Amino acid sequence: MAGSSFGNIFKITTWGESHGRGIGVVVDGCPAGIELNEEDIQVYLDRRKPGQSKFTTKRAESDKVEILSGIFEGKTTGTPISMVIWNEDQHSKDYGDIATYYRPGHADYTFDAKYGFRDFRGGGRSSGRETAARVAAGAIAIKALKSLGITVTAYTESIADIKIDTTNADISLRDTNALYMPDADAYKRADEYVTKLMSDCDSAGGVVACVVEGMPAGVGEPVFDKLDANLGKALFSIGAVKAVEIGAGTNAALMPGSVDNDSFKIDNGKVTLTSNNGGGILGGISDGTDIFLRATFKATPSIAKQQRTINRDGEEIDITIKGRHDPLIVPRAVVVVEAMTAVTIFDMLLMNMSSRIDRIKDFYR
Amino acid sequence: MAGSSFGNIFKITTWGESHGRGIGVVVDGCPAGIELNEEDIQVYLDRRKPGQSKFTTKRAESDKVEILSGIFEGKTTGTPISMVIWNEDQHSKDYGDIATYYRPGHADYTFDAKYGFRDFRGGGRSSGRETAARVAAGAIAIKALKSLGITVTAYTESIADIKIDTTNADISLRDTNALYMPDADAYKRADEYVTKLMSDCDSAGGVVACVVEGMPAGVGEPVFDKLDANLGKALFSIGAVKAVEIGAGTNAALMPGSVDNDSFKIDNGKVTLTSNNGGGILGGISDGTDIFLRATFKATPSIAKQQRTINRDGEEIDITIKGRHDPLIVPRAVVVVEAMTAVTIFDMLLMNMSSRIDRIKDFYR
Amino acid sequence: MAGSSFGNIFKITTWGESHGRGIGVVVDGCPAGIELNEEDIQVYLDRRKPGQSKFTTKRAESDKVEILSGIFEGKTTGTPISMVIWNEDQHSKDYGDIATYYRPGHADYTFDAKYGFRDFRGGGRSSGRETAARVAAGAIAIKALKSLGITVTAYTESIADIKIDTTNADISLRDTNALYMPDADAYKRADEYVTKLMSDCDSAGGVVACVVEGMPAGVGEPVFDKLDANLGKALFSIGAVKAVEIGAGTNAALMPGSVDNDSFKIDNGKVTLTSNNGGGILGGISDGTDIFLRATFKATPSIAKQQRTINRDGEEIDITIKGRHDPLIVPRAVVVVEAMTAVTIFDMLLMNMSSRIDRIKDFYR
Amino acid sequence: MAGSSFGNIFKITTWGESHGRGIGVVVDGCPAGIELNEEDIQVYLDRRKPGQSKFTTKRAESDKVEILSGIFEGKTTGTPISMVIWNEDQHSKDYGDIATYYRPGHADYTFDAKYGFRDFRGGGRSSGRETAARVAAGAIAIKALKSLGITVTAYTESIADIKIDTTNADISLRDTNALYMPDADAYKRADEYVTKLMSDCDSAGGVVACVVEGMPAGVGEPVFDKLDANLGKALFSIGAVKAVEIGAGTNAALMPGSVDNDSFKIDNGKVTLTSNNGGGILGGISDGTDIFLRATFKATPSIAKQQRTINRDGEEIDITIKGRHDPLIVPRAVVVVEAMTAVTIFDMLLMNMSSRIDRIKDFYR
């Protein structure tokens, strides 16, 4: 069944495999009149592309985006924006072995179980490379949101048990280090931890946090299309995510209602809250305060350390995965979390426009 | 925008408010030939209905389901199954005050922000009562799954920081106490904790875990309709859920890849895994082992303790919420988690049927 | 698969069988703030209900609608509006025979082929009675459209080859006769024709035309969700429709481009056209002139005349269908065409609201 | 809003403009295991490409398709198949004038009304060139259907009032002339008629018929996703279609029920019908006989003859459209009708697979 589309009004459809011709996305339902060029997209892809630091695979991909449709005289026309990122570095010989066995923590076995066979070159469709297409689409959503006064910012909150000092974190320092951790001290410890794991041919997990500022109240649909439900789906659709939290997240289980409840107050004539355990969402609808999310990423499953697994003939074997792999997914996933959050938020802002008959009358007056 | 439907092939649409005429659901896309009567549904509603123990509201609702369509001679016909649960206990006078102010932790303010006004009787559409309709629909999915050898079982894993002994838990003991905790010792401590909170006019949060046994491998769609992405949306669409975890969940951040990776092995000629950090899902597709999920519920926001908030005129006020409220959401949410999990799993089993042309040829031979 | 929902933002889901408990519809995505009561719905149902004239079945149904949710203090709340029309006259004994054979022109055989069995009481889900639910939903769309200055009017254009004088027709005369033909002379001839057929135990077909006045330009989405594509689906989803035409319809095949092309002109400072071969739609998008549609209905397949068919055992037999049937579908279908047209038009008006970023900025300012 | 996707399980998303970089389509939800290469697609594109005869534009496009994803070792993998047809002949200077005025019968005015501006190069997104992407997608559906024993064949039934002798037509002769009319005599008259119109700088309309052979009974969903409803939408989504007919079509209005009703009979032990007024569909579900459809195409609106229209400043002007245009749409539309029919039929075959619980049990056994 079709599973490569996301969104209701602002709808993205991705395609492509790790070692095929390229990776692409069609963004349909983008409003007309947004100034857009390839450079607007490229700055986000550059944050995701490999080879930026010792923490990312050495695979050499320039990840240059080409816009193939939907723009005329520098503006979106309202019709589909098709974008492609051609694959350049296709060392498929590196991946020859994985045709015959099932890598632990990967989708090799499940793709075979589902489809009878799989494109085994570098993970094929299940490769993290697919997220480049999401980032390209997300860049458009981010630009559209900015024009509405809304910003989306993700960052690394923790690597393993090394967590930034959240109460004092200055998110503007995020880009000062290769792990996108806005805390110099935490970064230093994380660097040491990951460097040690790398020398052990092992990998690390971590948490990406995301904040949405400037949200109007009233966005999100009751019941099944709650804003948090759609954000939850958006983040869980990113490979390697094992948990998603909104506001206080798992910590909400620990607090009595009298502590967890955020009190309403008036601040400079505006409705706001005394705390943010709700994460900016009440009953699935934005309350006008900052939206706060968290996604837990497992460690990169591709490790050079010897592992036990089975082959396609059902024999247990020991394997050592070759190739060039990130020792952790988190730093490159930061912009992917931003992208998926932005796509979801923008889509739901558009969905919300039909909530009141009087506003519809105004629109068509 | 329409937000009251869930699912692609097996699709449910709920309607109704806490203090309106009733709560209902239309289940469309249910396969023909399933033996079904009202009693099949009622047993699940009885697990959710109020008034079962000291931990649940005293609101007197028998929550009797009526099937209005889609059944003929005791079997589903393949056409929509419409079900209704009439509201009986409509003490709307209890709710008169909440028309004028915004309860902390509730959707009062956000509904007003979205729609300009709201049905303020007991939370209206944002009431937890809406989940009765989900349970009715889920009961059908659970019955269909059983006929395929698949069971879905949720239980209370923790209340605040009181957690069951997961390594030794015997889930079959779940129904032996009012909190649905399969651990007598944990139950005893949780009972004491909640009883104390109740006397303080306060409320508690907790975690519901859910296991799906008997899953075939290969179910779930790549990229955006990953099995975990749709399960994530399903659980986040339940009011009061602040975190969803798959497999190791937030703990996955802490493990190196060599620990987190579940190794494949052959057990009695069948492919299986040495551990279950993945939660039965790899690359968004079931791997044939048990699916394991967790949802964190915040404490009931309706508490009798005095709270600070604002009214519709933007004035800060102190309030004390009257009415009959559950001191914790968790026990009644257990069956809701089962229902939403079952609806999602069954829908995705149906979606998976078109994955291979050879199976389609077999079907139409 | 789920097939009982229609629409994207304004979405309707119908349920129920001809001789079950009742017929209903859930309208989700209806904007908040529309004044609505049961009488607003009932006036449209009364135009569809049986027993109005000699041309409609004598089945005694009052077709009283009940609104079960989604209204508070006389206004739509933005949440699902659930409506039910209870079945009263369930002479299921009249329909006993049809369990065993397949009526020509009916869905008996195809339901059996699809589902393995069927609810044979009066056509079950495939009965024309299902359209009552559409009319109830359509009444809401019609009311919403009126508040935007848009009216939808259907009428009988022809019965068999007896056609109204379209160039001189005064549509306001539609309700002056039982066939809803706005032409006294055509009505007289049609009455004679149908009366003769009735005495022969036979039935008649005809054409329903529909005009939408007051449409703004710019509504409809390019490519697959063209306004005419969605209207085409809407009308073909009504049982017994064998052709749908937009503007000049089948006649468009006969005209050279120089004749078929409607020329743009300025009339009182407003853009309009010199003719309406396009039916108010260009490239799938409304051009601001009247939308004109036509649906051809086949004759009622249930006739008392003897017919040849087969039974469930595959034996050829002669049958005579008993029961109370309309000698023609057309008069009762007029309001169904209005309803489906209104639902589609209103949905696409809502879909169009996100077409330009500057209007979105205005909305969220 | 997103309008560039079609289908539920087998879902296609098209992109591209007449004079942009290219035209493309992403086919998502295609089952794995179908042998597919570019030549399988190209043969269908070659039937649609320009420059084949005096009846088609001289625009020089080779319309070569490239498959960018979704194929591995010669077979579909179950993941999205992305295809592109690069634009070669971009004489955009030919189209300079149309930026300033609104061509009659075209979408220039409506795109401006919707989006505030438009890509005016050759019709942009509203160009007939968009259908190349549909043909590429349709070629896959046609190949999949063939493997199930189902064939889809469209042909020209009439040009203006020149109609083939339908009772004696031998559809296998379709490709013997440039108008795809399977009747040598009708072709000769149509050739003369169109040649005369061309010398008058005018254009012609006509009708494309389509037959689907080998359909199993039981395909199509009740109520809104009737097989004919989805086919109706599919055909109306093709530009220039003004009418769609199923079976007897508009002629159904003229027949009494006793004539229109197709009688069931047994032929060689198989259920079939004595006539085909229903067009192979009863109650929206296939009855196992041939499906028969018809689409009426208006004349090409781009004509060199002088026409009256308005410009963007609201002034009435006379125009003469330059450029290279087909004198009639019909011959190149034949393969587009096949493509859209095939996409719809294949999608609904997949949707039908979940109609019975016993077949689902068989599938997962």
Side-chain angles (χ1 to χ4, degrees), chain D residues 276-288:
Chain D
N276 190 12
N277 291 319
I281 302 172
L282 281 169
I285 301 173
S286 65
D287 59 26

PDB file of all heavy atoms in Angstrom, chain D residues 276-288:
ATOM      1  N   ASN D 276     -25.748  -5.420 -22.293  1.00  0.00           N
ATOM      2  CA  ASN D 276     -24.773  -4.717 -21.446  1.00  0.00           C
ATOM      3  C   ASN D 276     -25.115  -3.244 -21.278  1.00  0.00           C
ATOM      4  O   ASN D 276     -24.266  -2.368 -21.411  1.00  0.00           O
ATOM      5  CB  ASN D 276     -23.347  -4.902 -22.008  1.00  0.00           C
ATOM      6  CG  ASN D 276     -22.289  -4.405 -21.035  1.00  0.00           C
ATOM      7  OD1 ASN D 276     -22.586  -4.132 -19.877  1.00  0.00           O
ATOM      8  ND2 ASN D 276     -21.061  -4.261 -21.495  1.00  0.00           N
ATOM      9  N   ASN D 277     -26.378  -2.959 -20.956  1.00  0.00           N
ATOM     10  CA  ASN D 277     -26.753  -1.570 -20.683  1.00  0.00           C
ATOM     11  C   ASN D 277     -26.118  -1.052 -19.403  1.00  0.00           C
ATOM     12  O   ASN D 277     -25.910   0.135 -19.234  1.00  0.00           O
ATOM     13  CB  ASN D 277     -28.276  -1.433 -20.589  1.00  0.00           C
ATOM     14  CG  ASN D 277     -28.924  -1.645 -21.937  1.00  0.00           C
ATOM     15  OD1 ASN D 277     -28.414  -1.164 -22.952  1.00  0.00           O
ATOM     16  ND2 ASN D 277     -30.029  -2.390 -21.967  1.00  0.00           N
ATOM     17  N   GLY D 278     -25.823  -1.969 -18.488  1.00  0.00           N
ATOM     18  CA  GLY D 278     -25.223  -1.579 -17.214  1.00  0.00           C
ATOM     19  C   GLY D 278     -23.749  -1.253 -17.332  1.00  0.00           C
ATOM     20  O   GLY D 278     -23.167  -0.674 -16.418  1.00  0.00           O
ATOM     21  N   GLY D 279     -23.131  -1.671 -18.422  1.00  0.00           N
ATOM     22  CA  GLY D 279     -21.709  -1.383 -18.592  1.00  0.00           C
ATOM     23  C   GLY D 279     -20.822  -2.194 -17.679  1.00  0.00           C
ATOM     24  O   GLY D 279     -19.701  -1.801 -17.359  1.00  0.00           O
ATOM     25  N   GLY D 280     -21.322  -3.357 -17.241  1.00  0.00           N
ATOM     26  CA  GLY D 280     -20.476  -4.255 -16.441  1.00  0.00           C
ATOM     27  C   GLY D 280     -20.442  -3.930 -14.966  1.00  0.00           C
ATOM     28  O   GLY D 280     -19.655  -4.518 -14.220  1.00  0.00           O
ATOM     29  N   ILE D 281     -21.295  -3.003 -14.539  1.00  0.00           N
ATOM     30  CA  ILE D 281     -21.279  -2.556 -13.143  1.00  0.00           C
ATOM     31  C   ILE D 281     -22.716  -2.499 -12.618  1.00  0.00           C
ATOM     32  O   ILE D 281     -23.589  -1.923 -13.254  1.00  0.00           O
ATOM     33  CB  ILE D 281     -20.640  -1.149 -13.028  1.00  0.00           C
ATOM     34  CG1 ILE D 281     -19.209  -1.158 -13.591  1.00  0.00           C
ATOM     35  CG2 ILE D 281     -20.634  -0.658 -11.585  1.00  0.00           C
ATOM     36  CD1 ILE D 281     -18.567   0.220 -13.712  1.00  0.00           C
ATOM     37  N   LEU D 282     -22.955  -3.107 -11.467  1.00  0.00           N
ATOM     38  CA  LEU D 282     -24.283  -3.055 -10.819  1.00  0.00           C
ATOM     39  C   LEU D 282     -24.098  -2.615  -9.375  1.00  0.00           C
ATOM     40  O   LEU D 282     -23.344  -3.248  -8.630  1.00  0.00           O
ATOM     41  CB  LEU D 282     -24.953  -4.429 -10.866  1.00  0.00           C
ATOM     42  CG  LEU D 282     -25.595  -4.802 -12.209  1.00  0.00           C
ATOM     43  CD1 LEU D 282     -25.994  -6.277 -12.218  1.00  0.00           C
ATOM     44  CD2 LEU D 282     -26.837  -3.942 -12.479  1.00  0.00           C
ATOM     45  N   GLY D 283     -24.765  -1.547  -8.985  1.00  0.00           N
ATOM     46  CA  GLY D 283     -24.621  -1.044  -7.609  1.00  0.00           C
ATOM     47  C   GLY D 283     -23.195  -0.616  -7.304  1.00  0.00           C
ATOM     48  O   GLY D 283     -22.767  -0.657  -6.155  1.00  0.00           O
ATOM     49  N   GLY D 284     -22.456  -0.241  -8.342  1.00  0.00           N
ATOM     50  CA  GLY D 284     -21.082   0.230  -8.142  1.00  0.00           C
ATOM     51  C   GLY D 284     -20.044  -0.865  -8.094  1.00  0.00           C
ATOM     52  O   GLY D 284     -18.867  -0.608  -7.854  1.00  0.00           O
ATOM     53  N   ILE D 285     -20.487  -2.121  -8.320  1.00  0.00           N
ATOM     54  CA  ILE D 285     -19.606  -3.287  -8.204  1.00  0.00           C
ATOM     55  C   ILE D 285     -19.610  -4.037  -9.528  1.00  0.00           C
ATOM     56  O   ILE D 285     -20.659  -4.208 -10.147  1.00  0.00           O
ATOM     57  CB  ILE D 285     -20.094  -4.197  -7.048  1.00  0.00           C
ATOM     58  CG1 ILE D 285     -20.109  -3.413  -5.733  1.00  0.00           C
ATOM     59  CG2 ILE D 285     -19.229  -5.449  -6.934  1.00  0.00           C
ATOM     60  CD1 ILE D 285     -20.720  -4.158  -4.559  1.00  0.00           C
ATOM     61  N   SER D 286     -18.443  -4.495  -9.964  1.00  0.00           N
ATOM     62  CA  SER D 286     -18.349  -5.202 -11.242  1.00  0.00           C
ATOM     63  C   SER D 286     -19.169  -6.485 -11.210  1.00  0.00           C
ATOM     64  O   SER D 286     -19.222  -7.170 -10.194  1.00  0.00           O
ATOM     65  CB  SER D 286     -16.894  -5.535 -11.565  1.00  0.00           C
ATOM     66  OG  SER D 286     -16.384  -6.450 -10.626  1.00  0.00           O
ATOM     67  N   ASP D 287     -19.841  -6.793 -12.346  1.00  0.00           N
ATOM     68  CA  ASP D 287     -20.669  -8.007 -12.389  1.00  0.00           C
ATOM     69  C   ASP D 287     -19.999  -9.128 -13.177  1.00  0.00           C
ATOM     70  O   ASP D 287     -20.612 -10.176 -13.413  1.00  0.00           O
ATOM     71  CB  ASP D 287     -22.068  -7.685 -12.944  1.00  0.00           C
ATOM     72  CG  ASP D 287     -22.023  -7.103 -14.355  1.00  0.00           C
ATOM     73  OD1 ASP D 287     -21.055  -7.367 -15.095  1.00  0.00           O
ATOM     74  OD2 ASP D 287     -22.973  -6.388 -14.721  1.00  0.00           O
ATOM     75  N   GLY D 288     -18.759  -8.920 -13.576  1.00  0.00           N
ATOM     76  CA  GLY D 288     -18.030  -9.983 -14.257  1.00  0.00           C
ATOM     77  C   GLY D 288     -18.138  -9.922 -15.767  1.00  0.00           C
ATOM     78  O   GLY D 288     -17.448 -10.672 -16.468  1.00  0.00           O
TER      79      GLY D 288
END
